[in-house]
Amino acid sequence: PAAPIAPQAHPRLLRQVGLPGAILMGLGSILGTGVFVSLATAAGIGGTPVISACVLAGLLAGCNGLSAAQLAAAHPVSGGTYEYAHRFLTPPIAFSAGWIFLLAKSASAATAALGFAAYLLHACHLNPAYLLRVPLAAAITLLMTALTAAGVKRSNAANALIVGITVSALVAFAAAVRPRAAALPPLRELFPAPAQLPAFLHAAALLFVAYTGYARV
């Protein structure tokens, strides 16, 4: 009789970027939308308690990120959320989780692209009207897609350059405004009053989305 056919092993992902590259990949996903778009939006919604909302969102994202890291270390396969749900739950849940993840990341990418387009138009002394921002944001998205399709090594090298410029700009900005910075508000103003709680949670939710660059890692 013919020997039984052994089941094929699931292909494992190849190591391409190493630990420094993985850290830079996460930073690149967090700093862009987080610092330049979501933080200002959350501050406008939550007011002064946005500082504690930022801490709360970071703690929640840290717990979520550690769980994701454990799953990724135990099952290093392409597919992420879909694969984990398919393995531990049911195929319909995995299907839903995969599409929710895709839609959420698409919304995050759109936010980053629209924010970058607005900054670029402002720097060029052009009116950052919505009708101008959308085509420019679409072109930026296509450019980033082409860069990503060129391979993880090339895209991560470009990401490292962007992160380096971003961090340098933030450090320079902090140094420039430090002499003019106002004193920290009283401690009681850093926490929301009962009437501020809905706005506080809204701000924390926006900041949580900004923290989720760990999913790229």
PDB file of all heavy atoms in Angstrom, residues 149-193:
ATOM      1  N   ALA A 149       5.104  47.541  -1.878  1.00  0.00           N
ATOM      2  CA  ALA A 149       5.150  46.403  -2.796  1.00  0.00           C
ATOM      3  C   ALA A 149       6.567  46.120  -3.278  1.00  0.00           C
ATOM      4  O   ALA A 149       6.851  45.020  -3.756  1.00  0.00           O
ATOM      5  CB  ALA A 149       4.234  46.658  -3.991  1.00  0.00           C
ATOM      6  N   ALA A 150       7.466  47.083  -3.140  1.00  0.00           N
ATOM      7  CA  ALA A 150       8.846  46.886  -3.578  1.00  0.00           C
ATOM      8  C   ALA A 150       9.621  45.946  -2.661  1.00  0.00           C
ATOM      9  O   ALA A 150      10.714  45.518  -3.002  1.00  0.00           O
ATOM     10  CB  ALA A 150       9.568  48.231  -3.672  1.00  0.00           C
ATOM     11  N   GLY A 151       9.051  45.635  -1.503  1.00  0.00           N
ATOM     12  CA  GLY A 151       9.713  44.709  -0.591  1.00  0.00           C
ATOM     13  C   GLY A 151       9.859  45.305   0.792  1.00  0.00           C
ATOM     14  O   GLY A 151       9.960  46.519   0.945  1.00  0.00           O
ATOM     15  N   VAL A 152       9.871  44.429   1.795  1.00  0.00           N
ATOM     16  CA  VAL A 152       9.892  44.902   3.178  1.00  0.00           C
ATOM     17  C   VAL A 152      11.210  45.574   3.525  1.00  0.00           C
ATOM     18  O   VAL A 152      11.251  46.502   4.330  1.00  0.00           O
ATOM     19  CB  VAL A 152       9.580  43.739   4.152  1.00  0.00           C
ATOM     20  CG1 VAL A 152      10.716  42.718   4.154  1.00  0.00           C
ATOM     21  CG2 VAL A 152       9.327  44.250   5.553  1.00  0.00           C
ATOM     22  N   LYS A 153      12.322  45.138   2.929  1.00  0.00           N
ATOM     23  CA  LYS A 153      13.605  45.759   3.236  1.00  0.00           C
ATOM     24  C   LYS A 153      13.648  47.198   2.738  1.00  0.00           C
ATOM     25  O   LYS A 153      14.084  48.107   3.460  1.00  0.00           O
ATOM     26  CB  LYS A 153      14.746  44.940   2.623  1.00  0.00           C
ATOM     27  CG  LYS A 153      15.014  43.616   3.320  1.00  0.00           C
ATOM     28  CD  LYS A 153      16.233  42.923   2.740  1.00  0.00           C
ATOM     29  CE  LYS A 153      16.531  41.627   3.488  1.00  0.00           C
ATOM     30  NZ  LYS A 153      17.727  40.942   2.940  1.00  0.00           N
ATOM     31  N   ARG A 154      13.211  47.420   1.509  1.00  0.00           N
ATOM     32  CA  ARG A 154      13.231  48.775   0.970  1.00  0.00           C
ATOM     33  C   ARG A 154      12.244  49.674   1.698  1.00  0.00           C
ATOM     34  O   ARG A 154      12.558  50.828   2.029  1.00  0.00           O
ATOM     35  CB  ARG A 154      12.904  48.745  -0.518  1.00  0.00           C
ATOM     36  CG  ARG A 154      13.989  48.099  -1.382  1.00  0.00           C
ATOM     37  CD  ARG A 154      13.620  48.137  -2.842  1.00  0.00           C
ATOM     38  NE  ARG A 154      14.624  47.495  -3.673  1.00  0.00           N
ATOM     39  CZ  ARG A 154      14.527  47.360  -4.980  1.00  0.00           C
ATOM     40  NH1 ARG A 154      13.455  47.811  -5.616  1.00  0.00           N
ATOM     41  NH2 ARG A 154      15.489  46.754  -5.661  1.00  0.00           N
ATOM     42  N   SER A 155      11.046  49.169   1.938  1.00  0.00           N
ATOM     43  CA  SER A 155      10.045  49.993   2.611  1.00  0.00           C
ATOM     44  C   SER A 155      10.468  50.301   4.040  1.00  0.00           C
ATOM     45  O   SER A 155      10.220  51.397   4.551  1.00  0.00           O
ATOM     46  CB  SER A 155       8.680  49.298   2.593  1.00  0.00           C
ATOM     47  OG  SER A 155       8.738  48.047   3.255  1.00  0.00           O
ATOM     48  N   ASN A 156      11.131  49.352   4.708  1.00  0.00           N
ATOM     49  CA  ASN A 156      11.558  49.613   6.077  1.00  0.00           C
ATOM     50  C   ASN A 156      12.728  50.593   6.113  1.00  0.00           C
ATOM     51  O   ASN A 156      12.869  51.372   7.052  1.00  0.00           O
ATOM     52  CB  ASN A 156      11.950  48.309   6.775  1.00  0.00           C
ATOM     53  CG  ASN A 156      11.735  48.386   8.270  1.00  0.00           C
ATOM     54  OD1 ASN A 156      10.675  48.808   8.723  1.00  0.00           O
ATOM     55  ND2 ASN A 156      12.724  47.994   9.048  1.00  0.00           N
ATOM     56  N   ALA A 157      13.588  50.560   5.087  1.00  0.00           N
ATOM     57  CA  ALA A 157      14.668  51.550   5.010  1.00  0.00           C
ATOM     58  C   ALA A 157      14.086  52.954   4.837  1.00  0.00           C
ATOM     59  O   ALA A 157      14.537  53.914   5.480  1.00  0.00           O
ATOM     60  CB  ALA A 157      15.600  51.210   3.859  1.00  0.00           C
ATOM     61  N   ALA A 158      13.075  53.076   3.978  1.00  0.00           N
ATOM     62  CA  ALA A 158      12.416  54.374   3.805  1.00  0.00           C
ATOM     63  C   ALA A 158      11.721  54.798   5.092  1.00  0.00           C
ATOM     64  O   ALA A 158      11.753  55.972   5.482  1.00  0.00           O
ATOM     65  CB  ALA A 158      11.402  54.291   2.657  1.00  0.00           C
ATOM     66  N   ASN A 159      11.098  53.830   5.778  1.00  0.00           N
ATOM     67  CA  ASN A 159      10.432  54.127   7.039  1.00  0.00           C
ATOM     68  C   ASN A 159      11.436  54.611   8.084  1.00  0.00           C
ATOM     69  O   ASN A 159      11.157  55.547   8.843  1.00  0.00           O
ATOM     70  CB  ASN A 159       9.710  52.883   7.545  1.00  0.00           C
ATOM     71  CG  ASN A 159       9.093  53.087   8.914  1.00  0.00           C
ATOM     72  OD1 ASN A 159       8.135  53.820   9.071  1.00  0.00           O
ATOM     73  ND2 ASN A 159       9.664  52.439   9.922  1.00  0.00           N
ATOM     74  N   ALA A 160      12.619  53.982   8.147  1.00  0.00           N
ATOM     75  CA  ALA A 160      13.641  54.393   9.109  1.00  0.00           C
ATOM     76  C   ALA A 160      14.065  55.841   8.850  1.00  0.00           C
ATOM     77  O   ALA A 160      14.268  56.619   9.795  1.00  0.00           O
ATOM     78  CB  ALA A 160      14.851  53.460   9.025  1.00  0.00           C
ATOM     79  N   LEU A 161      14.194  56.221   7.578  1.00  0.00           N
ATOM     80  CA  LEU A 161      14.549  57.597   7.238  1.00  0.00           C
ATOM     81  C   LEU A 161      13.459  58.562   7.693  1.00  0.00           C
ATOM     82  O   LEU A 161      13.744  59.616   8.288  1.00  0.00           O
ATOM     83  CB  LEU A 161      14.774  57.709   5.730  1.00  0.00           C
ATOM     84  CG  LEU A 161      15.080  59.113   5.188  1.00  0.00           C
ATOM     85  CD1 LEU A 161      16.374  59.646   5.771  1.00  0.00           C
ATOM     86  CD2 LEU A 161      15.144  59.093   3.666  1.00  0.00           C
ATOM     87  N   ILE A 162      12.202  58.204   7.431  1.00  0.00           N
ATOM     88  CA  ILE A 162      11.086  59.070   7.817  1.00  0.00           C
ATOM     89  C   ILE A 162      11.004  59.201   9.331  1.00  0.00           C
ATOM     90  O   ILE A 162      10.788  60.299   9.867  1.00  0.00           O
ATOM     91  CB  ILE A 162       9.767  58.517   7.234  1.00  0.00           C
ATOM     92  CG1 ILE A 162       9.795  58.591   5.702  1.00  0.00           C
ATOM     93  CG2 ILE A 162       8.571  59.291   7.772  1.00  0.00           C
ATOM     94  CD1 ILE A 162       8.642  57.884   5.027  1.00  0.00           C
ATOM     95  N   VAL A 163      11.171  58.076  10.055  1.00  0.00           N
ATOM     96  CA  VAL A 163      11.121  58.123  11.513  1.00  0.00           C
ATOM     97  C   VAL A 163      12.253  58.991  12.061  1.00  0.00           C
ATOM     98  O   VAL A 163      12.056  59.783  12.998  1.00  0.00           O
ATOM     99  CB  VAL A 163      11.206  56.700  12.100  1.00  0.00           C
ATOM    100  CG1 VAL A 163      11.437  56.746  13.609  1.00  0.00           C
ATOM    101  CG2 VAL A 163       9.929  55.936  11.800  1.00  0.00           C
ATOM    102  N   GLY A 164      13.447  58.875  11.476  1.00  0.00           N
ATOM    103  CA  GLY A 164      14.560  59.701  11.918  1.00  0.00           C
ATOM    104  C   GLY A 164      14.271  61.184  11.755  1.00  0.00           C
ATOM    105  O   GLY A 164      14.542  61.990  12.664  1.00  0.00           O
ATOM    106  N   ILE A 165      13.703  61.564  10.605  1.00  0.00           N
ATOM    107  CA  ILE A 165      13.351  62.971  10.372  1.00  0.00           C
ATOM    108  C   ILE A 165      12.267  63.414  11.346  1.00  0.00           C
ATOM    109  O   ILE A 165      12.326  64.516  11.916  1.00  0.00           O
ATOM    110  CB  ILE A 165      12.886  63.162   8.915  1.00  0.00           C
ATOM    111  CG1 ILE A 165      14.048  62.888   7.944  1.00  0.00           C
ATOM    112  CG2 ILE A 165      12.334  64.567   8.696  1.00  0.00           C
ATOM    113  CD1 ILE A 165      13.638  62.875   6.491  1.00  0.00           C
ATOM    114  N   THR A 166      11.263  62.544  11.566  1.00  0.00           N
ATOM    115  CA  THR A 166      10.156  62.891  12.457  1.00  0.00           C
ATOM    116  C   THR A 166      10.631  63.099  13.881  1.00  0.00           C
ATOM    117  O   THR A 166      10.280  64.100  14.535  1.00  0.00           O
ATOM    118  CB  THR A 166       9.092  61.788  12.416  1.00  0.00           C
ATOM    119  OG1 THR A 166       8.634  61.612  11.080  1.00  0.00           O
ATOM    120  CG2 THR A 166       7.915  62.141  13.307  1.00  0.00           C
ATOM    121  N   VAL A 167      11.424  62.163  14.404  1.00  0.00           N
ATOM    122  CA  VAL A 167      11.910  62.283  15.779  1.00  0.00           C
ATOM    123  C   VAL A 167      12.802  63.515  15.930  1.00  0.00           C
ATOM    124  O   VAL A 167      12.702  64.255  16.920  1.00  0.00           O
ATOM    125  CB  VAL A 167      12.663  61.000  16.184  1.00  0.00           C
ATOM    126  CG1 VAL A 167      13.346  61.183  17.538  1.00  0.00           C
ATOM    127  CG2 VAL A 167      11.697  59.824  16.245  1.00  0.00           C
ATOM    128  N   SER A 168      13.655  63.769  14.952  1.00  0.00           N
ATOM    129  CA  SER A 168      14.512  64.950  15.009  1.00  0.00           C
ATOM    130  C   SER A 168      13.674  66.233  15.035  1.00  0.00           C
ATOM    131  O   SER A 168      13.969  67.174  15.791  1.00  0.00           O
ATOM    132  CB  SER A 168      15.458  64.970  13.812  1.00  0.00           C
ATOM    133  OG  SER A 168      16.297  63.825  13.806  1.00  0.00           O
ATOM    134  N   ALA A 169      12.624  66.271  14.212  1.00  0.00           N
ATOM    135  CA  ALA A 169      11.753  67.447  14.186  1.00  0.00           C
ATOM    136  C   ALA A 169      11.031  67.634  15.513  1.00  0.00           C
ATOM    137  O   ALA A 169      10.900  68.763  16.006  1.00  0.00           O
ATOM    138  CB  ALA A 169      10.742  67.313  13.042  1.00  0.00           C
ATOM    139  N   LEU A 170      10.569  66.534  16.110  1.00  0.00           N
ATOM    140  CA  LEU A 170       9.872  66.636  17.389  1.00  0.00           C
ATOM    141  C   LEU A 170      10.808  67.102  18.500  1.00  0.00           C
ATOM    142  O   LEU A 170      10.429  67.918  19.347  1.00  0.00           O
ATOM    143  CB  LEU A 170       9.252  65.283  17.752  1.00  0.00           C
ATOM    144  CG  LEU A 170       8.068  64.839  16.893  1.00  0.00           C
ATOM    145  CD1 LEU A 170       7.641  63.421  17.257  1.00  0.00           C
ATOM    146  CD2 LEU A 170       6.898  65.795  17.056  1.00  0.00           C
ATOM    147  N   VAL A 171      12.040  66.591  18.514  1.00  0.00           N
ATOM    148  CA  VAL A 171      13.014  67.021  19.521  1.00  0.00           C
ATOM    149  C   VAL A 171      13.331  68.504  19.350  1.00  0.00           C
ATOM    150  O   VAL A 171      13.389  69.273  20.322  1.00  0.00           O
ATOM    151  CB  VAL A 171      14.299  66.172  19.432  1.00  0.00           C
ATOM    152  CG1 VAL A 171      15.404  66.758  20.302  1.00  0.00           C
ATOM    153  CG2 VAL A 171      14.005  64.737  19.850  1.00  0.00           C
ATOM    154  N   ALA A 172      13.523  68.937  18.100  1.00  0.00           N
ATOM    155  CA  ALA A 172      13.801  70.347  17.839  1.00  0.00           C
ATOM    156  C   ALA A 172      12.618  71.223  18.248  1.00  0.00           C
ATOM    157  O   ALA A 172      12.800  72.309  18.825  1.00  0.00           O
ATOM    158  CB  ALA A 172      14.123  70.546  16.357  1.00  0.00           C
ATOM    159  N   PHE A 173      11.418  70.762  17.961  1.00  0.00           N
ATOM    160  CA  PHE A 173      10.217  71.515  18.342  1.00  0.00           C
ATOM    161  C   PHE A 173      10.114  71.633  19.859  1.00  0.00           C
ATOM    162  O   PHE A 173       9.837  72.723  20.391  1.00  0.00           O
ATOM    163  CB  PHE A 173       8.980  70.818  17.779  1.00  0.00           C
ATOM    164  CG  PHE A 173       7.685  71.433  18.225  1.00  0.00           C
ATOM    165  CD1 PHE A 173       7.234  72.614  17.665  1.00  0.00           C
ATOM    166  CD2 PHE A 173       6.928  70.822  19.211  1.00  0.00           C
ATOM    167  CE1 PHE A 173       6.043  73.183  18.086  1.00  0.00           C
ATOM    168  CE2 PHE A 173       5.730  71.380  19.644  1.00  0.00           C
ATOM    169  CZ  PHE A 173       5.291  72.562  19.072  1.00  0.00           C
ATOM    170  N   ALA A 174      10.330  70.522  20.571  1.00  0.00           N
ATOM    171  CA  ALA A 174      10.257  70.552  22.032  1.00  0.00           C
ATOM    172  C   ALA A 174      11.298  71.499  22.621  1.00  0.00           C
ATOM    173  O   ALA A 174      11.029  72.253  23.563  1.00  0.00           O
ATOM    174  CB  ALA A 174      10.436  69.137  22.592  1.00  0.00           C
ATOM    175  N   ALA A 175      12.508  71.478  22.054  1.00  0.00           N
ATOM    176  CA  ALA A 175      13.562  72.368  22.546  1.00  0.00           C
ATOM    177  C   ALA A 175      13.223  73.828  22.272  1.00  0.00           C
ATOM    178  O   ALA A 175      13.528  74.712  23.077  1.00  0.00           O
ATOM    179  CB  ALA A 175      14.896  71.996  21.899  1.00  0.00           C
ATOM    180  N   ALA A 176      12.584  74.098  21.139  1.00  0.00           N
ATOM    181  CA  ALA A 176      12.266  75.478  20.772  1.00  0.00           C
ATOM    182  C   ALA A 176      11.160  76.069  21.640  1.00  0.00           C
ATOM    183  O   ALA A 176      11.201  77.252  21.992  1.00  0.00           O
ATOM    184  CB  ALA A 176      11.879  75.546  19.298  1.00  0.00           C
ATOM    185  N   VAL A 177      10.152  75.254  21.979  1.00  0.00           N
ATOM    186  CA  VAL A 177       9.010  75.793  22.722  1.00  0.00           C
ATOM    187  C   VAL A 177       9.169  75.654  24.232  1.00  0.00           C
ATOM    188  O   VAL A 177       8.384  76.244  24.985  1.00  0.00           O
ATOM    189  CB  VAL A 177       7.695  75.102  22.291  1.00  0.00           C
ATOM    190  CG1 VAL A 177       7.473  75.256  20.795  1.00  0.00           C
ATOM    191  CG2 VAL A 177       7.694  73.627  22.672  1.00  0.00           C
ATOM    192  N   ARG A 178      10.178  74.910  24.682  1.00  0.00           N
ATOM    193  CA  ARG A 178      10.317  74.692  26.125  1.00  0.00           C
ATOM    194  C   ARG A 178      10.429  75.994  26.914  1.00  0.00           C
ATOM    195  O   ARG A 178       9.775  76.135  27.952  1.00  0.00           O
ATOM    196  CB  ARG A 178      11.535  73.798  26.393  1.00  0.00           C
ATOM    197  CG  ARG A 178      11.768  73.510  27.872  1.00  0.00           C
ATOM    198  CD  ARG A 178      10.616  72.712  28.447  1.00  0.00           C
ATOM    199  NE  ARG A 178      10.703  72.545  29.891  1.00  0.00           N
ATOM    200  CZ  ARG A 178      10.198  73.374  30.778  1.00  0.00           C
ATOM    201  NH1 ARG A 178       9.560  74.472  30.357  1.00  0.00           N
ATOM    202  NH2 ARG A 178      10.295  73.154  32.066  1.00  0.00           N
ATOM    203  N   PRO A 179      11.212  76.990  26.469  1.00  0.00           N
ATOM    204  CA  PRO A 179      11.283  78.225  27.263  1.00  0.00           C
ATOM    205  C   PRO A 179       9.955  78.973  27.357  1.00  0.00           C
ATOM    206  O   PRO A 179       9.746  79.750  28.292  1.00  0.00           O
ATOM    207  CB  PRO A 179      12.323  79.064  26.498  1.00  0.00           C
ATOM    208  CG  PRO A 179      13.128  78.076  25.730  1.00  0.00           C
ATOM    209  CD  PRO A 179      12.160  77.008  25.347  1.00  0.00           C
ATOM    210  N   ARG A 180       9.067  78.761  26.378  1.00  0.00           N
ATOM    211  CA  ARG A 180       7.790  79.472  26.366  1.00  0.00           C
ATOM    212  C   ARG A 180       6.643  78.622  26.883  1.00  0.00           C
ATOM    213  O   ARG A 180       5.493  79.077  26.889  1.00  0.00           O
ATOM    214  CB  ARG A 180       7.464  79.933  24.948  1.00  0.00           C
ATOM    215  CG  ARG A 180       8.533  80.814  24.319  1.00  0.00           C
ATOM    216  CD  ARG A 180       8.149  81.219  22.912  1.00  0.00           C
ATOM    217  NE  ARG A 180       9.204  81.995  22.261  1.00  0.00           N
ATOM    218  CZ  ARG A 180       9.115  82.475  21.029  1.00  0.00           C
ATOM    219  NH1 ARG A 180       8.011  82.248  20.319  1.00  0.00           N
ATOM    220  NH2 ARG A 180      10.112  83.161  20.503  1.00  0.00           N
ATOM    221  N   ALA A 181       6.933  77.389  27.258  1.00  0.00           N
ATOM    222  CA  ALA A 181       5.857  76.481  27.675  1.00  0.00           C
ATOM    223  C   ALA A 181       5.256  76.949  28.993  1.00  0.00           C
ATOM    224  O   ALA A 181       5.962  77.390  29.902  1.00  0.00           O
ATOM    225  CB  ALA A 181       6.392  75.063  27.815  1.00  0.00           C
ATOM    226  N   ALA A 182       3.941  76.843  29.090  1.00  0.00           N
ATOM    227  CA  ALA A 182       3.250  77.207  30.329  1.00  0.00           C
ATOM    228  C   ALA A 182       3.452  76.112  31.367  1.00  0.00           C
ATOM    229  O   ALA A 182       3.782  74.974  31.053  1.00  0.00           O
ATOM    230  CB  ALA A 182       1.766  77.415  30.040  1.00  0.00           C
ATOM    231  N   ALA A 183       3.255  76.477  32.612  1.00  0.00           N
ATOM    232  CA  ALA A 183       3.361  75.500  33.686  1.00  0.00           C
ATOM    233  C   ALA A 183       2.247  74.476  33.565  1.00  0.00           C
ATOM    234  O   ALA A 183       1.181  74.739  32.985  1.00  0.00           O
ATOM    235  CB  ALA A 183       3.286  76.202  35.044  1.00  0.00           C
ATOM    236  N   LEU A 184       2.500  73.281  34.078  1.00  0.00           N
ATOM    237  CA  LEU A 184       1.479  72.237  34.038  1.00  0.00           C
ATOM    238  C   LEU A 184       0.246  72.677  34.828  1.00  0.00           C
ATOM    239  O   LEU A 184       0.372  73.360  35.851  1.00  0.00           O
ATOM    240  CB  LEU A 184       2.029  70.938  34.639  1.00  0.00           C
ATOM    241  CG  LEU A 184       3.006  70.153  33.759  1.00  0.00           C
ATOM    242  CD1 LEU A 184       3.551  68.963  34.532  1.00  0.00           C
ATOM    243  CD2 LEU A 184       2.321  69.669  32.499  1.00  0.00           C
ATOM    244  N   PRO A 185      -0.938  72.315  34.370  1.00  0.00           N
ATOM    245  CA  PRO A 185      -2.152  72.693  35.098  1.00  0.00           C
ATOM    246  C   PRO A 185      -2.232  71.947  36.426  1.00  0.00           C
ATOM    247  O   PRO A 185      -1.511  70.968  36.647  1.00  0.00           O
ATOM    248  CB  PRO A 185      -3.266  72.256  34.144  1.00  0.00           C
ATOM    249  CG  PRO A 185      -2.659  71.167  33.324  1.00  0.00           C
ATOM    250  CD  PRO A 185      -1.215  71.534  33.166  1.00  0.00           C
ATOM    251  N   PRO A 186      -3.089  72.410  37.339  1.00  0.00           N
ATOM    252  CA  PRO A 186      -3.271  71.676  38.599  1.00  0.00           C
ATOM    253  C   PRO A 186      -3.655  70.217  38.340  1.00  0.00           C
ATOM    254  O   PRO A 186      -4.286  69.898  37.329  1.00  0.00           O
ATOM    255  CB  PRO A 186      -4.402  72.442  39.290  1.00  0.00           C
ATOM    256  CG  PRO A 186      -4.374  73.807  38.677  1.00  0.00           C
ATOM    257  CD  PRO A 186      -3.909  73.612  37.261  1.00  0.00           C
ATOM    258  N   LEU A 187      -3.265  69.354  39.274  1.00  0.00           N
ATOM    259  CA  LEU A 187      -3.478  67.923  39.089  1.00  0.00           C
ATOM    260  C   LEU A 187      -4.948  67.586  38.870  1.00  0.00           C
ATOM    261  O   LEU A 187      -5.272  66.706  38.067  1.00  0.00           O
ATOM    262  CB  LEU A 187      -2.938  67.171  40.313  1.00  0.00           C
ATOM    263  CG  LEU A 187      -2.939  65.637  40.216  1.00  0.00           C
ATOM    264  CD1 LEU A 187      -2.053  65.180  39.071  1.00  0.00           C
ATOM    265  CD2 LEU A 187      -2.496  65.006  41.527  1.00  0.00           C
ATOM    266  N   ARG A 188      -5.837  68.308  39.547  1.00  0.00           N
ATOM    267  CA  ARG A 188      -7.267  67.982  39.421  1.00  0.00           C
ATOM    268  C   ARG A 188      -7.785  68.224  38.006  1.00  0.00           C
ATOM    269  O   ARG A 188      -8.768  67.609  37.582  1.00  0.00           O
ATOM    270  CB  ARG A 188      -8.078  68.807  40.430  1.00  0.00           C
ATOM    271  CG  ARG A 188      -8.056  70.302  40.178  1.00  0.00           C
ATOM    272  CD  ARG A 188      -8.908  71.067  41.182  1.00  0.00           C
ATOM    273  NE  ARG A 188      -8.898  72.498  40.919  1.00  0.00           N
ATOM    274  CZ  ARG A 188      -7.961  73.328  41.342  1.00  0.00           C
ATOM    275  NH1 ARG A 188      -6.933  72.856  42.061  1.00  0.00           N
ATOM    276  NH2 ARG A 188      -8.031  74.619  41.068  1.00  0.00           N
ATOM    277  N   GLU A 189      -7.128  69.120  37.248  1.00  0.00           N
ATOM    278  CA  GLU A 189      -7.578  69.406  35.889  1.00  0.00           C
ATOM    279  C   GLU A 189      -7.135  68.345  34.891  1.00  0.00           C
ATOM    280  O   GLU A 189      -7.598  68.339  33.744  1.00  0.00           O
ATOM    281  CB  GLU A 189      -7.064  70.779  35.446  1.00  0.00           C
ATOM    282  CG  GLU A 189      -7.651  71.934  36.235  1.00  0.00           C
ATOM    283  CD  GLU A 189      -7.205  73.277  35.685  1.00  0.00           C
ATOM    284  OE1 GLU A 189      -6.645  73.291  34.568  1.00  0.00           O
ATOM    285  OE2 GLU A 189      -7.419  74.289  36.371  1.00  0.00           O
ATOM    286  N   LEU A 190      -6.231  67.455  35.306  1.00  0.00           N
ATOM    287  CA  LEU A 190      -5.769  66.400  34.410  1.00  0.00           C
ATOM    288  C   LEU A 190      -6.735  65.236  34.349  1.00  0.00           C
ATOM    289  O   LEU A 190      -6.589  64.347  33.507  1.00  0.00           O
ATOM    290  CB  LEU A 190      -4.392  65.906  34.849  1.00  0.00           C
ATOM    291  CG  LEU A 190      -3.265  66.952  34.833  1.00  0.00           C
ATOM    292  CD1 LEU A 190      -1.964  66.312  35.296  1.00  0.00           C
ATOM    293  CD2 LEU A 190      -3.109  67.550  33.447  1.00  0.00           C
ATOM    294  N   PHE A 191      -7.713  65.207  35.255  1.00  0.00           N
ATOM    295  CA  PHE A 191      -8.687  64.123  35.292  1.00  0.00           C
ATOM    296  C   PHE A 191     -10.069  64.686  34.993  1.00  0.00           C
ATOM    297  O   PHE A 191     -10.409  65.792  35.433  1.00  0.00           O
ATOM    298  CB  PHE A 191      -8.667  63.434  36.658  1.00  0.00           C
ATOM    299  CG  PHE A 191      -7.346  62.798  36.984  1.00  0.00           C
ATOM    300  CD1 PHE A 191      -6.395  63.488  37.720  1.00  0.00           C
ATOM    301  CD2 PHE A 191      -7.035  61.531  36.521  1.00  0.00           C
ATOM    302  CE1 PHE A 191      -5.160  62.905  38.001  1.00  0.00           C
ATOM    303  CE2 PHE A 191      -5.816  60.935  36.791  1.00  0.00           C
ATOM    304  CZ  PHE A 191      -4.874  61.629  37.538  1.00  0.00           C
ATOM    305  N   PRO A 192     -10.873  63.949  34.245  1.00  0.00           N
ATOM    306  CA  PRO A 192     -12.160  64.498  33.811  1.00  0.00           C
ATOM    307  C   PRO A 192     -13.176  64.571  34.942  1.00  0.00           C
ATOM    308  O   PRO A 192     -13.245  63.691  35.812  1.00  0.00           O
ATOM    309  CB  PRO A 192     -12.610  63.503  32.736  1.00  0.00           C
ATOM    310  CG  PRO A 192     -11.985  62.202  33.154  1.00  0.00           C
ATOM    311  CD  PRO A 192     -10.656  62.573  33.759  1.00  0.00           C
ATOM    312  N   ALA A 193     -13.968  65.629  34.918  1.00  0.00           N
ATOM    313  CA  ALA A 193     -15.139  65.698  35.779  1.00  0.00           C
ATOM    314  C   ALA A 193     -16.213  64.787  35.204  1.00  0.00           C
ATOM    315  O   ALA A 193     -16.139  64.379  34.045  1.00  0.00           O
ATOM    316  CB  ALA A 193     -15.631  67.147  35.851  1.00  0.00           C
TER     317      ALA A 193
END
